[in-house]
Amino acid sequence: MKNILIVVIIALLASAGQILLKIGVTKHAAELHSQANVLSKLISMFINPYVLSGLIIYASCAVAWLWVISRMKLSHAYPLLSLTFVFVPLFANLILGDSIQAKYWVSVGLI
């Protein structure tokens, strides 16, 4: 039961990481599409606090995931990560204002 809770927390954190990455790259999207000094713009994007936070969360999730799969059957743990298909759209709706259509939720239900 403890391992299942940890996988759910990993899914929540990974979803939060996605939102942070989206916020961070959106702030730099217009800059990245121009051709001038692409390298400095990429560096600027990677040191953006949102992108950096998202990457740190992702790295932390990867470490936690390794811990979980060392203690749990992969065939039991991996399907729980599909919760990100629920969490990311919910967070995107609440935080980014993304609209989510009913057909998406039908698709999630099939997964």
Side-chain angles (χ1 to χ4, degrees):
M1 186 65 176
K2 177 181 161 185
N3 291 337
I4 291 172
L5 179 62
I6 292 171
V7 175
V8 171
I9 291 169
I10 290 170
L12 280 166
L13 288 173
S15 300
Q18 282 292 324
I19 299 302
L20 289 168
L21 290 171
K22 174 63 176 168
I23 292 169
V25 298
T26 299
K27 291 181 179 288
H28 290 276
E31 295 174 9
L32 289 174
H33 292 297
S34 69
Q35 296 298 319
N37 206 359
V38 174
L39 182 60
S40 68
K41 290 175 185 175
L42 284 172
I43 291 170
S44 172
M45 182 181 66
F46 278 101
I47 61 171
N48 173 293
Y50 291 105
V51 172
L52 200 52
S53 297
L55 292 172
I56 289 169
I57 289 172
Y58 252 54
S60 300
C61 288
V63 171
W65 180 248
L66 293 174
W67 183 84
V68 166
I69 62 174
S70 73
R71 288 161 177 72
M72 192 175 177
K73 289 184 178 181
L74 185 61
S75 61
H76 294 169
Y78 195 71
L80 292 170
L81 284 182
S82 66
L83 288 171
T84 59
F85 289 107
V86 174
F87 297 147
V88 170
L90 283 176
F91 292 167
N93 178 262
L94 295 171
I95 297 167
L96 304 174
D98 287 5
S99 63
I100 306 162
Q101 298 179 359
K103 66 182 177 180
Y104 177 82
W105 294 116
V106 170
S107 300
V108 167
L110 292 173
I111 294 172

